Amino acid sequence: MADPCNRKLIVEVGSARNLMPKDGQGTASAYVIVDFDGQRRRTKTKFRDLNPQWDEKLEFLVHDPDSMASEILELNIYNDKKTGRRSTFLGKVKISGSGFVKSGSETLVYYPLEKRSVFSQIKGEMGLKVYYVDEDPPASDTAAPTEEKSETPATEEKPAAKEEEKKDEEKKEEEKTEAATKEEKPPENANPAETPAAEAPPPSQPVSSPLIVHTDNAKQQKEKEVATKRQDSSVNDLEIRSLSNDRNRSAYDLVHRMPFLYVRVLKAKRTNEEAGSSVYAKLVIGTHSIRTKSVTDKDWDQVFAFDKEGLNSTALEISVWVEKKAADTNTSTDTSLGTVSFDLQEVPKRVPPDSPLAPQWYTLEGPPEESTGTDVMVAVWIGTQADEAFQEAWQSDSGGLIPETRAKVYLSPKLWYLRLTVIQTQDLQLASAPEPKVRAHELYVRAQLGAQIFKTARSSISSISSSSSTNPTWNEDLIFIAAEPFEPFLVITVEDVSSGQSVGHAKVHVPSIDRRTDDRTEPRSRWFNLMGDEKRPYTGRIHISVCLEGGYHVQDEAAHLTSDVRAAAKQLSKPPIGLLEVGIRGATNLLPVKTTDGTRGTTDAYVVAKYGRKWIRTRTILDRFNPRWNEQYTWDVYDPCTVLTIGVFDNGRYKHDEAGKPGRDARIGKLRIRLSTLDTNRAYLNSYSLVVLQPGGAKKMGEIELAVRLSCSSWVSLLQAYTSPLLPRMHYVRPLGPARQDILRQTAMRIVTARLARSEPPMGQEVVQYMLDSDMHVWSMRRSKANWFRVVGCLTRVAALARWLDEIRTWVHPSTTILVHVLLVAIVLCPHLILPTLFMYAFFIVILRFRNRQRTPASMDPRLSYVDAVGLDELDEEFDGFPTTRSADQIRMRYERLRALAGRAQSLLGDVAAQGERVEALLNWRDPRATGIFVVFCLFASLVFYVVPFKAFLLGSGFFYLRHPRFRDDMPSVPMNFFRRLPSHSDQIL
């Protein structure tokens, strides 16, 4: 019996733009063939139109909703051969199932047409809406297949002629698609996944066949076709693995397997039980002792995980106790019902994906004179951290069931740009002016979304009386950050600066705002009534346009440290190109961060890793300086030029002060790994130093051991990522200004910090800010020096080249100078060899440096960060917050130091500007004599170069530059003297 399918995929084929003319007459007659999950649909033909408009809705049956993300929707556009000489290929679009959205979130997206092979001549784009609809299964879903089976013989005998007609139509369609494939054949070494599905239509599925309910045999045949389809669509093992729901269990090959003793205590059974008594179980292993919760119905269902390496006994004892409270003294007297003992050497071992161990009843043994008749249901086994019971178990190395010490996975909120365009207002009812004189009103619009407030510029309007109608116009964009789930309302208020009062306000429901993915679709504008107080229910109306921009990537990290570059709209996301696996093995030689009881130093360390929207936090290992986590996590990789950030912290939140407030997590160290520096399909196992910057200087806190692997199944997809833009298209067609981007980035950081702080258990604000480098825009003398020396380091090669040229021209090494003379003659006489020689030289130099490449991923560099050569006062200035808490004398000293540094930078900027102004003055006759000399020189130079061959000029100039020092003068040259005498604007500055 076939399972009822209640999901449909809807593809709305809109229009195509700028198609390639391929009918031999400068136009094309296009139609679209859509393939999904073994089903095929075809649109109508639009005759002789390079910008065809179909507006057709095609429906597909989703046979397995769970595996929809691994399916591929493919659209192929062909030129109808009935209107031209032959049927030709016009382009294709492939959309991964992971980009499908639910009905209600769809939007029109224009996809660029892809080539079928490197020899295809394709251009244009296709506008589509793709979404799925979940429908309730019919009430008679169980009887429908049976009825269809009984009616099948009768229905197959009657329309025999119709079936023959359908077969003829299938043959015609196959001939059409075969003609299209013969027109452009892919190369022999082409990837089979690049071959469109339209080239091999399934004979059992007509082009215009309706959706049907499959019988058992039909379903088996369909599953075979789906399997073949997936194989042809190049759905590899990596993609299937990336879509797995339980990846943590799939492979723990980057970390060590840690043995844990698992004890699952379910319930107890007693023959002579007492009503109303609380019962609990106690587990004892050597010095380890733990008890379950007290219940009255004797059902605990709790799992305990003991670190096997920390056990100091070979026997496990489980006892059941009855807790009785005395009414008069409010004390409890516990009575043991018996004990059952397990030899740990006889405990079975379990390794996932083995099924969980079934619990068994064990009879408790009590004193000989007492027979309690109590049984307990227990399961005991030895497993690893890969066991599915580990995450929810009481953990001996993490403090038991403390929520703040458990391993968790967090997701950053999905961020959108919300663009509000304030156009104009009408019929404003302004408040009465405080003065009777006629004056101008200054109005502006203030918009608020949550804690974000932005204002438009002021618009001045004349007003004769308070009841006059005014129509100020702004046409100004205000951009907000909207995080899912959205704030309920965007509040728009018109303010009157003159009177200091609000004219009126309007509310926009944010979840119902239109979404767009590009700049081709203009958002609709709407009029909203402005509401005042109770006395003024209507104060005018405002004309605005508001939309959620899905074509941008909302940056919540520094631009050079980004870990995700995908657009906000799901429709624009592409399939992942790889998989990032990180094994957090352990740390060594950690320094104590806090004290216990004021005497002994301790560290409760855990690790946070962030890549994309996914944050992971390992479990906290309590009171160990060499913790071993051995946890492995995975991320999907969409762009190789991204950065993984890993931070180590000391957990201070699981302890609360006297007021009940949690403590703060202390920094232990941080490192970043750029994925583009990793070789694919290679595991890196390295230890990285943990260095934290403190007011007293940089301090090494220990080392962390990591295993990192970047897996990629397709080199083509990986290399193609290097040729595509780093950010989505909207960042280039409608760019945001640098100042606005910086403001929005800081706003996004605050939103992410607030959302993660509201998780359960919360991720501390100090942790998120440290991981996102939210203080990078704050002034720091150390960072300024570090960046200055980075610039100097980049210019070192240029300085070395300048020194080498000076040594040649001064004949320090005569043999080298003679060789340069010979090279100069060869270049002038054979200029066509210049570029081949340069590129061949660069080729050999880079190839020779391959053996000296860095073998391990780079981490934080204290020397490059300039932490060892910075003063304590400069570090104290960097850690000082806003507003400052330092004394006035200290602030004055820092201000004077900053003034001195800014003065040197000011002089440097003035010198650079003066050079450009001198060149401009040479052409603008600011110095008439200097410009006159230059004009005469240009006249004679034109005559000389008309007579003298250019090769002779090059040889003469080169020999003059390389002349012997005895023919040189120690004074500056004439052109240099002439240039330095040109005027600049420096003498005009006050």
Side-chain angles (χ1 to χ4, degrees), residues 656-672:
H656 297 74
D657 55 12
E658 298 178 354
K661 295 182 178 180
R664 292 176 60 88
D665 296 343
R667 304 173 180 178
I668 296 180
K670 180 173 61 177
L671 60 100
R672 305 187 191 95

Side-chain angles (χ1 to χ4, degrees), residues 88-108:
T88 55
F89 178 72
L90 298 177
K92 69 176 181 178
V93 174
K94 297 178 70 174
I95 305 175
S96 173
S98 59
F100 300 162
V101 297
K102 197 171 183 179
S103 177
S105 301
E106 72 275 7
T107 182
L108 182 63

